[in-house]
Amino acid sequence: MYEGVVQNLIDELGRLPGVGPKSAQRIAFHLLAADPADVTRLTEALREVKDKVRFCSVCGNVAEAEQCRICRDARRDTHVICVVEEPKDVVAIEKTREFRGRYHVLGGAISPIEGVGPDDLRIRELMQRLADGEVTELILATDPNLEGEATATYLARLVKPMGLTVTRLASGLPVGGDLEYADEVTLGRAFEGRRLLDV
Amino acid sequence: MRPGSGQASTGPTLVWVYVAHLALQDFRSYESAEIALDPGISAFLGPNGQGKTNLVEAVGYVALHGSHRVSTDAPLVRHGAPRAIVRAGVVRDERKALIELEINPGRANRARLNRSPVPRPREVLGMLRTVLFAPEDLVLVKGDPGERRRFLDELLTVRAPRFAGVRSDYDRVLKQRNALLKSAAQHRRAPGPEVLSTLDVWDTHLARTGAELLGARLELVAALGPLVAKAYAALAPGRAADLEYRASVSLPELSTDRAQLAEALLAGMAEARKNELERGVSLVGPHRDELLLKLGDLPARGYASHGESWSFALALRLASYELLRADGDDPVLILDDVFAELDTGRRNRLAELVAPAEQVLITAAVPEDVPEQLSGATYEVASGEVTRVR
């Protein structure tokens, strides 16, 4: 244990995801030795992120205004919505530059163990967005794990009466990989989702 | 030299597998131990509590990633040590592979194959196959249905490692569904539409993964049944032994079609829904099924004598061994302290049945417990030291 304030800093850092006690200690001592200007910049960034960043009123993505950059962008396709779990998923899909529609961030996935039900996710907001009939395709891009699959099934059933096209991201083999290195679950999924080869 | 290689005259060509080298670090009572092993028979002798079983338990761990004695990994690590390491040099069709498992209680284990890490320990499952006979097997006959389900699932996993994934998916779905049912049961009033529609989703997933597990178990029992009957008849002539799989839902006749099984599970859940919501647990699915062991017309559990129960447990293991051989692999046989419990007749018959295996590892307290047919290399185990004496 260290003197009061140093230990406080270590404790706070240790509460961050992915930071264990050893890393927390290392970061704390790095900050102690760092140039005061650098530390000021960090505290400023932390304060600003809490003050300025909020969640987009339309899609739930992180935003600095009432609406996020993507929802404000008039060039985006308004007929397609891609549903993801977290804002970081939006960033991942944006990097592909393949998708020109808009997003809807649920804020998690259905998981009764953690007490997360449909009411705790931004599903009501999604239904409101779909109500006017402008959206024709819903892409379900929740994580390919059990909870993500359950959430996708739930949404697909919920919107079924609305008659839109509902698609799920494909899961299967990584591009550029070797077949032999795929684990058997992935390979099994890829078999299930095999497609006709048009020649 | 190749003991027993003349036995494989019929059936598929067998892949010969044996453990050539075993090294332990902080495993159970061993701070460190290294043993060289030959194919054929090896007996580990020594008084009780000297660490004989720990050696064969380690070999079993390499094959199953679990122990036959405990359900958690914590007791496997030597008291005071952070982790245990088991290294096994496995010779498979004359090629040697080094499997290393790092057992981290409470955290994910890590595995290396030929000194390079593999992403998931599951990937080295199947490199070594073992069939282990131990006094603990008696619970297969006398214990709760859960023991027999575990027996089936372990055998499934040994035959197709993919089932480790199916099993863990099923357990996860079950946990989620139970959490939902439990929270609904606590509210006491009729569950709202959002609970019911979420439950529908979990039903679909439970039916899908459940059907996969159920279908595989049904196929396994169908293949295993005749082998168990044969092994039991060879060990203990008398009443006929048989297996029957009792599912928690009524099943389509003689079908293991996964879609049909999923339908049957969904129908079962629909029927049980009111009851499930009241009690807050999942009452339908492979986790509630029973593998019935029968002697003549009676269930072995509760009706069989001690000797009959023992013979049935051994017959289940022998049948597993035959099944794995039929798959084309010759598993390593481990007989942990089993002869002391048997009369001379059964002792000799068991010895005859196991002697042809590529590798047999035996533990016994005294040399007289090991039948003559099984004489081979002998190791003495005393206070954590293993010495080859013959």
Side-chain angles (χ1 to χ4, degrees):
Chain A
M1 288 293 268
Y2 295 92
E3 300 271 324
V5 279
V6 179
Q7 190 59 42
N8 284 353
L9 178 59
I10 294 174
D11 290 347
E12 287 306 314
L13 290 168
R15 284 160 62 178
L16 299 174
V19 181
K22 286 264 167 62
S23 310
Q25 193 176 316
R26 236 177 86 206
I27 299 168
F29 280 97
H30 172 83
L31 292 174
L32 274 179
D35 188 345
D38 289 341
V39 179
T40 313
R41 238 182 312 116
L42 178 64
T43 50
E44 203 49 33
L46 286 173
R47 215 166 41 76
E48 265 185 275
V49 83
K50 279 320 264 185
D51 286 352
K52 288 193 183 158
V53 175
R54 10 182 214 169
F55 293 95
C56 171
S57 62
V58 181
C59 72
N61 192 9
V62 285
E64 284 194 29
E66 171 71 18
Q67 289 188 8
C68 74
R69 193 174 43 76
I70 296 167
C71 288
R72 284 199 315 261
D73 188 342
R75 291 165 302 174
R76 307 286 295 214
D77 187 346
T78 53
H79 302 295
V80 194
I81 289 183
C82 178
V83 180
V84 295
E85 290 181 17
E86 304 288 348
K88 57 184 194 290
D89 301 328
V90 172
V91 178
I93 296 177
E94 279 299 284
K95 274 191 198 153
T96 68
R97 298 176 177 269
E98 290 292 330
F99 179 64
R100 301 302 300 159
R102 291 183 173 167
Y103 293 92
H104 192 83
V105 181
L106 291 173
I110 296 176
S111 174
I113 294 175
E114 290 155 81
V116 180
D119 287 355
D120 304 303
L121 304 173
R122 298 183 68 258
I123 290 177
R124 204 171 304 115
E125 289 85 340
L126 175 65
M127 298 309 282
Q128 280 161 10
R129 288 179 76 183
L130 299 176
D132 63 4
E134 197 185 350
V135 176
T136 53
E137 184 182 352
L138 198 63
I139 302 172
L140 300 175
T142 49
D143 287 345
N145 55 25
L146 194 65
E147 290 74 19
E149 293 293 346
T151 310
T153 316
Y154 180 85
L155 288 174
R157 289 190 176 191
L158 198 62
V159 302
K160 202 173 180 190
M162 302 173 125
L164 9 110
T165 309
V166 179
T167 52
R168 175 93 178 104
L169 286 195
S171 53
L173 298 170
V175 174
D178 285 327
L179 203 64
E180 56 173 304
Y181 292 127
D183 70 288
E184 60 276 10
V185 177
T186 308
L187 201 50
R189 284 267 181 85
F191 253 98
E192 251 175 72
R194 67 188 185 276
R195 55 189 167 79
L196 275 176
L197 197 56
D198 265 328
V199 281
Chain B
M1 206 190 68
R2 170 122 297 179
S5 50
Q7 304 288 326
S9 51
T10 53
T13 323
L14 288 179
V15 175
W16 299 103
V17 183
Y18 69 93
V19 180
H21 180 90
L22 181 70
L24 307 179
Q25 199 180 314
D26 293 324
F27 185 87
R28 289 273 192 189
S29 56
Y30 291 94
E31 195 177 330
S32 76
E34 285 216 46
I35 313 162
L37 292 161
D38 292 326
I41 290 150
S42 302
F44 297 93
L45 305 175
N48 292 330
Q50 303 295 310
K52 302 183 298 290
T53 296
N54 299 349
L55 290 177
V56 292
E57 182 183 32
V59 176
Y61 197 93
V62 173
L64 275 179
H65 293 189
S67 155
H68 69 288
R69 295 154 89 192
V70 285
S71 54
T72 58
D73 283 347
L76 302 179
V77 179
R78 194 171 62 91
H79 188 70
R83 66 184 70 83
I85 296 173
V86 179
R87 293 190 180 86
V90 174
V91 178
R92 206 185 155 79
D93 239 5
E94 306 194 352
R95 262 194 300 267
K96 196 167 172 177
L98 180 67
I99 304 168
E100 291 172 276
L101 289 174
E102 185 183 301
I103 304 168
N104 297 309
R107 283 186 298 128
N109 289 351
R110 286 196 291 195
R112 298 204 299 169
L113 179 60
N114 294 331
R115 310 228 174 258
S116 18
V118 295
R120 276 163 297 268
R122 222 177 337 124
E123 293 185 14
V124 296
L125 272 174
M127 296 289 301
L128 174 69
R129 288 173 167 193
T130 58
V131 174
L132 193 147
F133 300 69
E136 284 83 356
D137 290 342
L138 203 54
V139 301
L140 291 180
V141 183
K142 296 195 167 183
D144 294 333
E147 304 287 347
R148 289 177 287 282
R149 290 192 293 265
R150 196 159 76 108
F151 164 75
L152 290 177
D153 292 346
E154 275 181 3
L155 189 54
L156 280 178
T157 306
V158 173
R159 293 182 78 197
R162 185 174 72 88
F163 277 98
V166 174
R167 185 68 239 220
S168 74
D169 278 357
Y170 183 78
D171 289 345
R172 181 93 186 145
V173 178
L174 196 60
K175 253 193 200 157
Q176 289 283 20
R177 192 171 183 274
N178 282 341
L180 185 65
L181 286 170
K182 199 173 166 193
S183 73
Q186 277 163 353
H187 282 95
R188 275 158 201 265
R189 57 188 163 78
E194 78 288 343
V195 168
L196 293 179
S197 55
T198 325
L199 194 54
D200 282 341
V201 170
W202 292 111
D203 286 3
T204 326
H205 286 262
L206 189 96
R208 201 170 61 203
T209 49
E212 186 83 22
L213 190 60
L214 179 56
R217 281 191 193 165
L218 288 170
E219 285 160 5
L220 178 64
V221 171
L224 205 59
L227 298 173
V228 170
K230 203 179 109 206
Y232 188 86
L235 273 176
R239 287 190 286 172
D242 195 13
L243 303 181
E244 184 188 327
Y245 191 84
R246 291 226 172 132
S248 56
V249 290
S250 54
L251 296 176
E253 279 294 312
L254 297 172
S255 168
T256 57
D257 177 62
R258 304 299 189 262
Q260 280 188 35
L261 292 176
E263 284 299 317
L265 285 169
L266 279 175
M269 280 183 269
E271 209 172 294
R273 177 166 278 195
K274 189 167 161 285
N275 207 351
E276 288 190 322
L277 282 168
E278 274 168 19
R279 293 178 51 186
V281 283
S282 298
L283 298 171
V284 169
H287 67 289
R288 303 281 291 199
D289 295 352
E290 162 73 304
L291 173 68
L292 199 64
L293 312 179
K294 292 192 297 189
L295 274 178
D297 296 326
L298 293 171
R301 188 189 185 197
Y303 289 90
S305 71
H306 185 77
E308 285 173 322
S309 300
W310 237 117
S311 302
F312 212 126
L314 293 174
L316 286 171
R317 295 296 181 198
L318 281 168
S320 316
Y321 170 64
E322 286 300 327
L323 194 65
L324 294 174
R325 272 172 70 96
D327 290 348
D329 237 2
D330 195 16
V332 172
L333 284 181
I334 301 173
L335 304 175
D336 181 19
D337 211 7
V338 293
F339 292 110
E341 296 259 1
L342 296 173
D343 60 37
T344 321
R346 286 189 179 135
R347 209 182 261 201
N348 288 333
R349 285 193 287 273
L350 179 62
E352 277 162 29
L353 290 168
V354 302
E358 169 76 348
Q359 189 172 41
V360 186
L361 307 178
I362 301 169
T363 72
V366 286
E368 295 76 57
D369 276 351
V370 183
E372 269 174 34
Q373 296 96 316
L374 297 178
S375 58
T378 308
Y379 298 78
E380 242 172 41
V381 184
S383 49
E385 292 286 326
V386 188
T387 345
R388 182 161 179 173
V389 291
R390 194 160 65 96

